[in-house]
Amino acid sequence: MPTAIKVLEVDNRTATTHFILLGFLTRPAFQFLLFSVFLVTYLLTLVENLLIILAIRSDGQLHKPMYFFLSHLSFLEMWYVTVISPKMLVNFLSKDKSISFNGCMTQLYFFVTFVCTEYILLAVMAFDRYVAICNPLRYPVIMTNQLCGILAGGCWFCGLMTAMIKMVFIARLRYCGTPHINHYFCDISPLLNVSCEDSSQAELVDFFLALMVIAVPLCVVVTSYVTILIAILKIPSAQGRQKAFSTCASHLTVVTLFYSTTLFTYARPKLMYAYNSNKVVSVLYTVIVPLLNPIIYCLRNRDVKMALKKTILCNSSGPGGDGDLSS
């Protein structure tokens, strides 16, 4: 691909203006099959999360902190998959697998923003469940609308700032020659692999920030659920224990899925990105998990299921339909 990679002379050094995303190296017929599967998955993910947002906004019974954070999670995951999927879908059908330098860095910035925000948001949701189960009488006093807004805003701010700091170190690295990224999107480790200068400083910053963004929220999640488990075990009736656990079962499942898939990837050495198996693992948290999360919340949460039914029936009945839902 002679036109795919262009270089400019800057201060006697070559600066890459394009990368090549190798993606999934398969036969053309299988590429079309993958395109069809990932397109359907992407559209389903958007529809599922949009329905959850609409259901939460339209049902007054869901105007609670837990569902407020859930709507933020759904909004986040709609953009999370949109950062990656469209370019991946185009590459399945196109012979030109190139992505501009600016496009690659933009994709990486927003991807890191959404991943970091989700780590922190899941920890905030765990804290919310801790307060609801361990301090039920004080829950309305503690989890006020103001605090919920601050916590949600803090999640987004931390995600944006973490991504910005990482990008300062990654974007200024020099990439030369023919940078073929052995991945289907611009991720940190594949980019560090194709840099033609010492990237140890960028790796150190990435490791430190990843440790803060992953380890601290993980500690909050683990501490919250250990305390919740102790509180549930103290409930005398089996029915009471089951009711208490059901309020956090969906979130615990989502946390387990997201943390296990991302930790498996980012805890591995940088050189592991040379193997195609890493792409399969990445598909889990960039495609499959965002698809499953709304389903998990619907299956495990009766209130969300009822609100979704009302939303769908209301939309299908048109202007003359049931008008009980508050906006």
Side-chain angles (χ1 to χ4, degrees), residues 101-168:
F101 180 88
N102 290 336
C104 185
M105 294 303 155
T106 301
Q107 185 185 58
L108 177 62
Y109 174 74
F110 284 108
F111 172 72
V112 173
T113 295
F114 296 137
V115 169
C116 293
T117 302
E118 184 156 351
Y119 274 121
I120 302 168
L121 182 59
L122 289 174
V124 169
M125 293 173 77
F127 171 75
D128 171 72
R129 292 299 82 210
Y130 156 75
V131 178
I133 294 173
C134 299
N135 296 281
L137 298 179
R138 298 188 60 204
Y139 181 74
V141 178
I142 297 173
M143 299 303 294
T144 61
N145 291 338
Q146 183 180 6
L147 179 61
C148 291
I150 292 172
L151 289 174
C155 293
W156 286 98
F157 177 77
C158 290
L160 288 165
M161 292 306 297
T162 302
M164 188 178 297
I165 295 170
K166 288 190 177 190
M167 292 305 301
V168 167

Side-chain angles (χ1 to χ4, degrees), residues 119 137 179 204 206 234 240 272 285 298:
Y119 274 121
L137 298 179
L204 184 62
D206 176 56
K234 290 180 180 179
M272 289 303 293
Y285 66 85
C298 291

